[in-house]
Amino acid sequence: MIDRQRHNKRWKITKGPAKYDDLASEAAKSFAEFAARLEVNYIFAWLDWDGDNVLCDAGIIDYGSVRQFGIRHDLYRYDDVQRFSTSLNEQKHKARLIAQVFVQMCDYIKTKEKKPLKSFEKHPVLTTFDETFAATRADRILYRMGFDQQQRKNIVARPALF
């Protein structure tokens, strides 16, 4: 996966031992951007990672699990009889958990010791996730309000303004 993402120039992943840290960071950014776009555009995508809905880079592969609403519908859950999916409000949390699993996985590859997922709750990569989510969400909201890219950049540069 690292080789493919590097070859495709999709993610910036260095060579050497730091490549696993880069992998976790890039995955976190991708899932943060994805979750922010879903939230702003009122799109529901089943983010419980059961292997058939999203790719490792947050690309959708199962469009049957995707719903878009004209207005925000916080209570919608896809009903698959055996279990209910997440709601729009829970997607950010699910995406953050996926990023956390990437951190856990990369740590395991480096240390050969599997640590509990909970031990990575405050990892710096999750701060990257939170910051990327907030920045992408703000950018998408400003875009929907009609601001062009330069205007959005100027507005976001002044936190007290937005």
Side-chain angles (χ1 to χ4, degrees), residues 22 25 71 93 107:
D22 294 343
S25 180
I71 59 172
H93 174 69
D107 180 77

Side-chain angles (χ1 to χ4, degrees), residues 4-126:
R4 180 183 305 258
Q5 294 298 64
R6 191 182 294 132
H7 174 75
N8 291 341
K9 297 181 172 90
R10 172 87 168 97
W11 289 348
K12 293 177 184 151
I13 300 177
T14 58
K15 294 185 178 188
K19 68 184 176 184
Y20 298 112
D21 297 325
D22 294 343
L23 169 65
S25 180
E26 292 294 332
K29 289 178 201 171
S30 290
F31 275 93
E33 290 169 359
F34 181 62
R37 288 175 181 272
L38 293 176
E39 183 172 306
V40 171
N41 293 316
Y42 313 138
I43 298 173
F44 164 86
W46 195 329
L47 287 182
D48 274 325
W49 199 354
D50 57 4
D52 70 349
N53 296 331
V54 292
L55 297 170
C56 290
D57 66 355
I60 298 175
I61 61 172
D62 182 359
Y63 283 91
S65 297
V66 175
R67 308 284 186 272
Q68 182 170 20
F69 306 107
I71 59 172
R72 186 160 178 96
H73 186 0
D74 294 339
L75 301 179
Y76 175 82
R77 291 179 186 276
Y78 181 80
D79 176 6
D80 73 345
V81 182
Q82 295 84 11
R83 61 180 185 253
F84 285 91
S85 65
T86 58
S87 68
L88 285 175
N89 291 336
E90 296 166 330
Q91 291 184 127
K92 175 186 176 189
H93 174 69
K94 294 294 184 177
R96 195 174 192 277
L97 280 174
I98 292 171
Q100 192 172 336
V101 169
F102 268 96
V103 173
Q104 180 191 37
M105 174 186 70
C106 291
D107 180 77
Y108 175 73
I109 291 170
K110 292 187 307 185
T111 67
K112 308 291 188 245
E113 176 190 349
K114 185 177 178 192
K115 299 173 186 109
L117 184 61
K118 190 168 179 68
S119 65
F120 299 99
E121 283 179 335
K122 297 184 192 281
H123 193 278
V125 165
L126 296 178

